Amino acid sequence: MDSIRVESRALDSLPPAQRAKLPAGCSFLLSSGRFEGAVNIRELLRNRIVLRNVSADSLRLNLVRVSDSVANWDIVPPSKSEGIPYFSFNSIKLTHPREINFRDLDRKLDV
């Protein structure tokens, strides 16, 4: 993939008064220049996510946590099944990493 940009809608359902207090750009989650990797299709059919040789160039992360139950990285709707799905990868390579921001509005952290 030549590039990827992910915008989150996880904070859209907050009440307007609470949304007004959010920092600018909080819906931006991540972006990367060239992004590569392989997905094991056989495992995916078994509801298991298995990735191989993941690489990302110029990765930027913007993580915003509002509370224990609300964060901009909650981009997948909750599943009706119990537990966390199986996920693994054999390697990840970051080239030219860029900024990684973490804001926790509940605990007043900005790193």
Side-chain angles (χ1 to χ4, degrees):
M1 189 178 308
D2 186 38
S3 65
I4 186 171
R5 181 177 175 93
V6 177
E7 295 280 335
S8 172
R9 294 184 185 158
L11 307 179
D12 291 355
S13 62
L14 292 173
Q18 196 172 9
R19 272 200 330 262
K21 296 177 184 177
L22 295 174
C26 64
S27 64
F28 167 72
L29 179 58
L30 69 88
S31 69
S32 177
R34 188 156 188 80
F35 187 82
E36 298 176 344
V39 177
N40 185 321
I41 300 298
R42 184 180 301 151
E43 292 294 329
L44 195 57
L45 293 172
R46 295 175 51 206
N47 294 322
R48 296 165 53 104
I49 302 168
V50 178
L51 306 176
R52 292 187 341 219
N53 306 326
V54 175
S55 66
D57 184 55
S58 303
L59 179 70
R60 289 179 57 211
L61 288 174
N62 183 49
L63 306 173
V64 178
R65 180 185 173 277
V66 176
S67 66
D68 285 340
S69 60
V70 179
N72 74 338
W73 61 81
D74 291 330
I75 59 174
V76 178
S79 171
K80 293 180 181 173
S81 66
E82 300 269 333
I84 299 171
Y86 179 85
F87 177 85
S88 74
F89 58 90
N90 69 337
S91 69
I92 186 163
K93 176 181 168 185
L94 301 177
T95 54
H96 310 106
R98 299 195 40 208
E99 34 190 89
I100 297 176
N101 298 313
F102 175 73
R103 292 182 180 156
D104 187 327
L105 304 178
D106 193 33
R107 294 185 177 108
K108 298 182 180 25
L109 292 173
D110 193 355
V111 221

